[in-house]
Amino acid sequence: WTYLRVYCGDLIPGQMEGADILQYIEKSPKSIAENIYLEPAACLAIFQYLNPLCRHLIIRLLYVKIPIPFFVLFSWFEPSQKGAVEEAFKTLEGLQIAQIANSVLLLTPNFQQGLTVTLAGGGAPWAVGGVQRTHDAAALEELAKKRWEAVLSYMVRTTPVEANVRETLMAANLVTSFEGSDTITPSGFQFVLCAQRTQLWFYIICFLRNFKGRVAEALAFILKLALSTPGEAYSTKTLSAAASAVLKHFALIGLVYIKEGTYCTTRLASILAQESHVAEDPSKRFVVVETNNCVYGYSESDLRVAILGLFTSMKNRYHLPNFASGRLTRVSLREAFAKGITALQIINFLQTHAHPQMRVKTHMGFPPLPITVSDQIFLWEEECRRIKTEEVTLYRDFATQADFDYMHSFANALGVMVHADQRVPLLVVKAEAHEQMKRHWAGRPSKAQA
């Protein structure tokens, strides 16, 4: 049973609610989208994020200045695609890319003009003419990796991080204060498991939700950054206050590098423009798990070893520059469960990052993680669920059986009954119903005291 559940579909890594920029724009006020499309680069970025059907409709309507009836639009596709075309209409309308009324559709002027400029050419150049690349590719790559890993290291090991970054992570509920120190939350652990593009967009959307300034200008600038050429110099002199605030924050997490009145983007910023389904990095497959619960990590990354340490005991174990060993123990897993990390998340991590040697028999239907290990993790989690605490109110010492029956029937009618014993007699009800029980007791026919 566990074998089927773990390996056949429950564990889908890389997904996280709240990391879709299109959903964020769709749920934002209409004025946000209208102002975003004043930036031509933002129009191109949004166009790239859309599904092929939406892009097809936009290209065919890009130079059309009059509303087009639905029946004409449907005629461009096979009848079997009508449902998908209708969904595309809803998407374009929700993103303020198209206006729909009386079964006709027309692209909004701001988006139409902005996308025309980027596709056909026009507008002022972004890069600073005559300025050499601010940083070479290798140095920028190292800088981006170091600063983003610092963010993730703070989440799993509470290493120091900038106050603005900590504030964003707290607001996103990725970390929380636990027993006097910051610790990762279940959402934070899921965040660590996600692909880097998902991580970045989730963080950016949380940053925008707490942004103190013009959100539309900030988002338009972020979309422009995604299309910028890594390493190319861009001037900071013409940036708005909102864009400058974004730039300073993004420099803390490795998306940009600022130097002498110019800035340049790193590889992390270009990841924002990638499609969501990107190939998995083989270097992330570094974990070996044995049937005796021993865990080995073949990696030079301290961050990856620290993530293993969230649920693995590494005391008195081997730790070399490119190798670390640990053990899944009852104590280490109970500590992880106490922080809100689930067994499913732990198994997800171990399977997703399983070493190629552990995947040798996957084509035969065997999971990369030993079944005995996944069973044991689930069993240790179930141990933590033996006792469930709930705040209740106890009523006892009723003067008469009639008083007990009077309150007992009322508690049953409210659906707040937890336990009742006629022999004592006593009632146990949910704590939130105490005020209602008091009022009902005050209006009882008999005034006997209880």
Side-chain angles (χ1 to χ4, degrees):
W1 172 80
T2 304
Y3 168 79
L4 292 174
R5 180 177 70 169
V6 171
Y7 192 58
C8 296
D10 278 33
L11 305 177
I12 305 176
Q15 302 299 319
M16 192 164 188
E17 187 71 23
D20 190 332
I21 187 61
L22 296 182
Q23 288 183 3
Y24 171 77
I25 295 174
E26 194 169 354
K27 294 178 181 179
S28 299
K30 293 182 178 180
S31 59
I32 298 290
E34 292 172 355
N35 291 323
I36 289 172
Y37 300 145
L38 295 175
E39 172 57 63
C43 298
L44 179 59
I46 295 299
F47 175 77
Q48 291 181 349
Y49 298 147
L50 293 170
N51 61 55
L53 186 56
C54 289
R55 293 202 296 262
H56 179 84
L57 284 168
I58 291 171
I59 290 297
R60 295 196 67 166
L61 295 170
L62 190 58
Y63 292 98
V64 177
K65 302 295 183 182
I66 60 174
I68 304 298
F70 279 6
F71 73 87
V72 175
L73 299 176
F74 285 129
S75 68
W76 297 348
F77 305 92
E78 295 291 334
S80 59
Q81 291 185 288
K82 183 177 180 181
V85 175
E86 290 176 342
E87 285 299 316
F89 291 167
K90 293 178 182 179
T91 299
L92 296 179
E93 184 181 28
L95 293 170
Q96 304 301 310
I97 292 175
Q99 300 169 340
I100 296 177
N102 301 322
S103 298
V104 296
L105 183 145
L106 178 67
L107 295 183
T108 54
N110 287 351
F111 184 87
Q112 189 175 35
Q113 181 179 357
L115 187 60
T116 303
V117 168
T118 55
L119 294 180
W126 298 355
V128 180
V131 178
Q132 298 294 324
R133 283 178 174 261
T134 308
H135 237 321
D136 63 85
L140 277 178
E141 175 70 17
E142 183 62 27
L143 174 72
K145 180 180 178 181
K146 179 180 178 181
R147 293 190 177 176
W148 184 246
E149 284 199 354
V151 176
L152 300 179
S153 295
Y154 160 72
M155 294 175 60
V156 299
R157 297 188 301 182
T158 64
T159 53
V161 73
E162 294 289 342
N164 291 342
V165 176
R166 178 181 180 273
E167 183 180 342
T168 301
L169 294 173
M170 285 284 188
N173 193 35
L174 298 178
V175 293
T176 188
S177 181
F178 181 77
E179 296 183 354
S181 62
D182 295 345
T183 187
I184 192 170
T185 64
S187 297
F189 190 71
Q190 181 65 28
F191 177 85
V192 172
L193 295 179
C194 288
Q196 198 168 52
R197 180 186 183 276
T198 304
Q199 291 176 346
L200 291 170
W201 271 123
F202 185 87
Y203 181 93
I204 289 170
I205 291 172
C206 292
F207 166 76
L208 289 171
R209 288 197 179 108
N210 297 278
F211 185 73
K212 298 176 182 178
R214 296 184 176 181
V215 176
E217 286 186 15
L219 180 53
F221 180 66
I222 292 170
L223 295 172
K224 184 175 179 178
L225 288 177
L227 298 179
S228 301
T229 304
E232 193 73 32
Y234 302 93
S235 175
T236 61
K237 296 178 181 179
T238 58
L239 296 181
S240 65
S244 297
V246 170
L247 201 65
K248 291 178 181 177
H249 190 98
F250 281 15
L252 301 177
I253 60 176
L255 269 73
V256 298
Y257 175 73
I258 306 174
K259 181 181 179 181
E260 298 175 356
T262 62
Y263 70 91
C264 67
T265 59
T266 67
R267 182 189 59 85
L268 286 181
S270 63
I271 289 177
L272 298 175
Q274 294 178 357
E275 295 187 15
S276 57
H277 50 278
V278 294
E280 182 184 359
D281 183 3
S283 66
K284 292 184 178 180
R285 298 177 177 179
F286 69 101
V287 180
V288 172
V289 183
E290 295 182 333
T291 54
N292 59 0
N293 291 342
C294 287
V295 179
Y296 306 102
Y298 293 87
S299 176
E300 297 179 355
S301 171
D302 291 337
L303 173 62
R304 292 177 183 173
V305 174
I307 294 173
L308 283 177
L310 288 174
F311 53 84
T312 304
S313 174
M314 292 193 168
K315 296 180 180 179
N316 303 320
R317 308 298 293 181
Y318 298 109
H319 194 173
L320 303 175
N322 63 345
F323 172 82
S325 67
R327 191 180 184 91
L328 295 169
T329 67
R330 186 179 185 181
V331 174
S332 65
L333 286 168
R334 286 177 71 91
E335 290 176 353
F337 299 148
K339 295 177 182 178
I341 299 172
T342 67
L344 206 58
Q345 288 177 324
I346 293 171
I347 295 172
N348 185 355
F349 179 85
L350 294 175
Q351 288 195 160
T352 304
H353 296 83
H355 193 275
Q357 289 296 323
M358 295 186 63
R359 301 172 183 265
V360 173
K361 295 185 178 181
T362 54
H363 68 282
M364 300 171 58
F366 290 94
L369 188 66
I371 302 172
T372 54
V373 175
S374 58
D375 280 349
Q376 186 62 74
I377 295 173
F378 277 122
L379 287 173
W380 278 332
E381 184 184 44
E382 289 301 318
E383 282 186 355
C384 299
R385 298 176 178 173
R386 288 179 179 176
I387 300 176
K388 180 181 178 182
T389 60
E390 183 178 5
E391 190 173 350
V392 298
T393 303
L394 170 67
Y395 304 94
R396 63 180 184 180
D397 299 333
F398 290 93
T400 65
Q401 184 65 33
D403 287 342
F404 172 81
D405 293 339
Y406 179 72
M407 298 302 291
H408 183 240
S409 60
F410 180 69
N412 274 329
L414 285 180
V416 297
M417 177 66 67
V418 176
H419 176 70
D421 191 336
Q422 293 184 346
R423 295 171 300 175
V424 176
L426 63 81
L427 292 175
V428 180
V429 303
K430 295 180 180 179
E432 61 266 24
H434 180 56
E435 292 300 323
Q436 291 174 282
M437 295 288 286
K438 284 173 60 178
R439 289 193 294 270
H440 188 69
W441 174 253
R444 67 194 185 284
S446 171
K447 297 299 181 181
Q449 297 299 316

